[in-house]
Amino acid sequence: MSKIRRAGAENYSIEGTLNDLSDQQRLPNWIFVLLLALYFACNIFVSILARSEGVMQIFGRAVPFDNLPGVFSSLSNACLILLVVFYRKPGFITAMILIMTNLPLLIFTFFVRGNVTAFSGISNGLFTAIASIVIYATGRKSLQYQQRVRTQAMTDILTDLPNKFACTELMSDLIKRDQRFAILSVDIGNFKGINDTMGHEFGDKVLKTLADRWKEFADNNLTETTDFVGRLGGDEFAVIIRGFKTEEDVLQTIKEYKGAFEQRLEIDESDYYMSAFYGYAMYPEDGADYDSMLSFANAAMHEAQRRGLTAPLKFTPDILKDEHLIETERKIRTALDTDNVFPYFQPQYDITHRLRGFEALARMKDSEGNLISPGEFIPVAEKVGLVDKIDSTVFAKAAGLVSDVLRQKDSNFTVSVNISVKHLMKNNFIDETRAIIDKYNIPARNIEIEITESVMIESAEKALERINTLKDMGFKIAIDDFGTGYSSLSYLNNIPSDLLKIDKSFIDVMNDSESSQQYVAMIVSIGHVMKLDVISEGVESQDQIETLRDIGCDYIQGFVWGRPLPYEQALEIALEG
Ligand code: C2E
Ligand code: MG
Ligand code: MG
């Protein structure tokens, strides 16, 4: 396959591309053409006006035509100077050619023809030539300096390769020109181990050797594509690949870089063999901006690393999902190990604003101290089998709150805990629950276990058996998020529950229409027919409280009367209420 190159002799070596990137932006070409046209128009005026004998009125004064050539001649010279200022080298060359062709003509007119008006043209021309040379020479120096500063800012000190900034600049330039490219992200396998055992100096030598090898590879066009190698930082490198026809070509290029890296590395007179992980993403198929292109290639590389795959891995959207899952799983494990999973307690009140109790809602703190919401980590915990650990942690803290309150006063307040269906179905669930109650020495009736209707879909028989046991032990049972699942009245009738929790989504729209309000009223009636108490979740306004009071709802849980609170504040409220 022959090399595919853009028209024009651009330099595709790494150095050349860097220079292109650090070059100053020029004005558009049409301004160049306009200045040239103006220059020629002025010159034509000069020669026409010089021969005219008429007079024109300017601001009430009679000005003979043959006085005007000086004005147009200055204007035409100004055009040349602007060409040099705006277009540097091409402007300077054009200006010089025009001056050099015009001057002999003026000299001939002055000396041979004896036309004295040409004298001002000669002096103007000479002045313009000198000014152009001075402007060009000083401009060139400062431009070279600016270019050097920019090139330095784009170069990695250790390896002399372009750095991450240069890679993103190139990608953004290619995206601007809508050119296809692939970005390959590379991470050296076990580089940390190399650094730890052999020392940082040795690690630096590995990086330098690899960088030199790949730079030579890219600059000598040893692949069929046009490649730009950069160091992203640490032991991470990137190759931006252009000039390919199919993804096969990209893979072939990656294979060649991989092969070059895996060859013997000779450092301090010893031989080493190393491997790396490779992930790549393609523009425009995978992403639309350089930021996502880089993070997609990185995600693919990390996925390859996780799977222990040394073959290049192409980015797919699934990889992001996996990455998020793994990252969240890691956070959950760390948080569980460091006691950073705990509940906040949201108060529940009866319709007259008397405290009923609290719902314990799991919170997780990551290593930076950010609170992560259960909406983010509970689904992951369910997937990776960690939800029972979270449930139990929350359960224990809830039992702790009950115990702290009962030690100070007699109360029938309730603390509700959410139990995932997966956890409920585990064989040791009942024993575990009993152990917590025994440890804190509290009556089960102060704890309410919230389950969702989905429990009946997964394994109705076994679930019912479990719930009955819990009920026999004295726990209260609440049906959470009622109305959002596949509610079946017959199932509901079978569950020995105490409380029906109307989901927030119904409360949100309740006051929007008559029918929405009737729907909530119907749920409250169903609950009451089944001899259950009914609580509305996510109540945010006084209007909603009024409607719920009219409908006959028993309890309220929502930001309007209280947000989820830390343990100490909940304890204070429980002791007051
Ligand atoms: P949920 O059990 O239905 O809990 C009610 C959610 O509604 C809580 O969100 C609560 O903070 C929020 N909420 C209450 N009142 C309002 C309000 O007025 N406005 C708004 N915008 N939101 C309100 P949170 O704490 O984010 O919990 C989300 C879900 O995560 C819970 O829904 C529950 O399904 C699950 N979850 C929480 N803790 C645990 C746990 O320990 N174990 C298990 N398995 N799931 C849990
Ligand atoms: Mg709940
Ligand atoms: Mg709920």
Side-chain angles (χ1 to χ4, degrees):
M1 192 179 73
S2 68
K3 226 165 170 41
I4 303 157
R5 294 217 147 167
R6 220 179 324 144
E10 258 177 274
N11 184 350
Y12 275 102
S13 68
I14 292 178
E15 214 70 44
T17 313
L18 265 188
N19 282 342
D20 282 353
L21 287 173
S22 34
D23 207 358
Q24 267 195 342
Q25 281 283 314
R26 288 198 192 110
L27 285 180
N29 286 345
W30 64 265
I31 295 185
F32 191 101
V33 176
L34 187 78
L35 286 171
L36 264 187
L38 206 65
Y39 168 83
F40 285 116
C42 288
N43 273 342
I44 292 169
F45 277 133
V46 170
S47 45
I48 296 173
L49 290 170
R51 277 183 237 122
S52 309
E53 286 177 356
V55 171
M56 72 186 290
Q57 295 291 323
I58 299 176
F59 299 122
R61 282 169 192 272
V63 179
F65 277 153
D66 58 6
N67 277 14
L68 293 175
V71 176
F72 284 99
S73 152
S74 303
L75 246 176
S76 74
N77 288 325
C79 289
L80 296 186
I81 288 178
L82 287 179
L83 278 179
V84 182
V85 171
F86 292 146
Y87 294 90
R88 305 276 160 202
K89 200 169 182 181
F92 177 69
I93 294 171
T94 313
M96 283 300 142
I97 292 173
L98 292 172
I99 293 168
M100 289 310 145
T101 47
N102 211 10
L103 264 183
L105 215 82
L106 289 167
I107 291 169
F108 175 81
T109 323
F110 179 69
F111 286 106
V112 181
R113 289 256 182 97
N115 184 348
V116 284
T117 53
F119 183 71
S120 70
I122 296 172
S123 53
N124 266 347
L126 283 175
F127 170 77
T128 312
I130 293 166
S132 300
I133 291 168
V134 171
I135 290 170
Y136 179 61
T138 47
R140 216 171 107 94
K141 260 197 193 143
S142 88
L143 200 72
Q144 276 170 346
Y145 174 72
Q146 281 174 29
Q147 206 166 16
R148 211 172 45 240
V149 170
R150 259 179 79 81
T151 308
Q152 272 167 6
M154 289 203 237
T155 309
D156 172 56
I157 297 173
L158 176 71
T159 59
D160 231 14
L161 279 180
N163 59 16
K164 185 172 175 180
F165 174 57
C167 294
T168 55
E169 284 278 285
L170 176 59
M171 280 193 284
S172 101
D173 184 55
L174 293 173
I175 290 171
K176 238 184 265 161
R177 288 191 272 136
D178 207 21
Q179 272 203 22
R180 271 189 98 188
F181 67 88
I183 161 120
L184 169 72
S185 164
V186 185
D187 187 284
I188 302 177
N190 192 29
F191 188 71
K192 193 181 169 306
I194 296 170
N195 255 342
D196 288 350
T197 51
M198 313 287 288
H200 282 260
E201 219 174 287
F202 181 87
D204 285 354
K205 280 184 189 162
V206 171
L207 295 176
K208 258 197 84 52
T209 315
L210 172 68
D212 290 347
R213 195 176 276 183
W214 276 4
K215 189 170 187 200
E216 202 190 317
F217 214 68
D219 278 348
N220 293 332
N221 298 331
L222 296 182
T223 65
E224 294 292 335
T225 49
T226 301
D227 316 324
F228 180 85
V229 181
R231 181 181 175 214
L232 298 177
D235 62 337
E236 288 185 18
F237 290 82
V239 184
I240 297 168
I241 302 167
R242 291 174 275 170
F244 53 85
K245 277 188 182 143
T246 64
E247 199 180 327
E248 280 304 305
D249 303 339
V250 173
L251 268 173
Q252 182 56 35
T253 294
I254 298 176
K255 233 185 244 169
E256 287 170 36
Y257 276 90
K258 183 172 179 298
F261 178 50
E262 285 169 0
Q263 275 168 25
R264 184 172 58 87
L265 281 182
E266 198 188 314
I267 296 169
D268 296 341
E269 291 164 18
S270 297
D271 292 345
Y272 297 90
Y273 293 90
M274 290 190 191
S275 61
F277 300 103
Y278 302 80
Y280 67 101
M282 317 249 302
Y283 176 82
E285 297 92 313
D286 294 327
D289 56 86
Y290 67 80
D291 244 359
S292 12
M293 289 305 295
L294 193 59
S295 65
F296 292 169
N298 276 336
M301 180 271 287
H302 285 130
E303 180 65 12
Q305 207 169 27
R306 198 180 65 81
R307 292 194 212 159
L309 205 73
T310 53
L313 188 68
K314 160 105 167 62
F315 167 79
T316 57
D318 283 350
I319 288 176
L320 284 188
K321 273 192 233 145
D322 290 352
E323 270 234 321
H324 177 73
L325 195 93
I326 293 157
E327 178 66 11
T328 313
E329 178 184 350
R330 197 187 51 74
K331 281 186 183 167
I332 298 172
R333 284 189 193 281
T334 315
L336 280 168
D337 287 347
T338 54
D339 207 17
N340 274 316
V341 173
F342 49 84
Y344 268 21
F345 298 88
Q346 185 176 28
Q348 300 172 333
Y349 295 95
D350 74 6
I351 205 78
T352 67
H353 208 163
R354 259 209 323 262
L355 189 74
R356 171 187 190 260
F358 300 88
E359 176 174 7
L361 294 158
R363 297 290 180 265
M364 179 173 101
K365 229 184 227 172
D366 68 11
S367 50
E368 276 119 47
N370 306 312
L371 266 195
I372 304 175
S373 92
E376 197 174 323
F377 66 83
I378 293 283
V380 176
E382 285 187 335
K383 232 184 220 164
V384 300
L386 286 172
V387 78
D388 40 338
K389 287 217 172 68
I390 293 176
D391 284 355
S392 306
T393 309
V394 171
F395 199 134
K397 292 266 161 59
L401 180 65
V402 172
S403 151
D404 279 352
V405 173
L406 293 188
R407 228 181 297 134
Q408 299 185 52
K409 72 179 237 192
D410 198 18
S411 172
N412 60 354
F413 89 119
T414 309
V415 180
S416 315
V417 290
N418 294 279
I419 297 296
S420 141
V421 177
K422 286 217 169 71
H423 187 197
L424 181 78
M425 294 306 183
K426 280 206 153 176
N427 289 338
N428 61 352
F429 176 70
I430 297 290
D431 294 341
E432 212 180 72
T433 314
R434 191 171 284 125
I436 295 176
I437 293 293
D438 290 349
K439 181 177 168 201
Y440 286 91
N441 195 23
I442 55 167
R445 69 182 141 81
N446 289 86
I447 297 278
E448 184 171 63
I449 290 177
E450 290 193 12
I451 42 174
T452 57
E453 297 159 276
S454 61
V455 80
M456 301 311 289
I457 298 153
E458 296 211 1
S459 176
E461 282 282 302
K462 199 169 160 197
L464 264 186
E465 197 188 298
R466 282 281 146 88
I467 296 165
N468 276 317
T469 313
L470 289 171
K471 188 77 189 153
D472 292 344
M473 286 164 75
F475 289 108
K476 286 189 186 133
I477 306 289
I479 311 278
D480 201 359
D481 304 340
F482 185 72
T484 56
Y486 307 92
S487 324
S488 152
L489 286 182
S490 67
Y491 276 156
L492 195 63
N493 205 19
N494 287 337
I495 302 178
S497 45
D498 303 271
L499 184 74
L500 204 60
K501 302 192 77 176
I502 306 179
D503 192 69
K504 177 176 185 296
S505 54
F506 301 109
I507 307 302
D508 282 346
V509 295
M510 179 181 64
N511 280 344
D512 291 354
S513 69
E514 186 68 22
S515 61
S516 306
Q517 194 166 318
Q518 278 171 2
Y519 192 77
V520 176
M522 186 190 72
I523 299 178
V524 173
S525 307
I526 290 174
H528 287 166
V529 167
M530 293 184 176
K531 308 238 167 355
L532 307 177
D533 285 337
V534 181
I535 188 168
S536 293
E537 275 194 291
V539 182
E540 290 181 339
S541 71
Q542 196 57 40
D543 284 355
Q544 290 171 337
I545 295 181
E546 300 307 334
T547 308
L548 291 167
R549 186 176 286 131
D550 291 346
I551 285 172
C553 182
D554 307 292
Y555 298 104
I556 300 286
Q557 177 182 344
F559 291 178
V560 66
W561 277 346
R563 290 181 177 251
L565 303 165
Y567 189 90
E568 286 72 25
Q569 289 181 37
L571 179 63
E572 233 171 78
I573 292 177
L575 291 174
E576 281 167 13

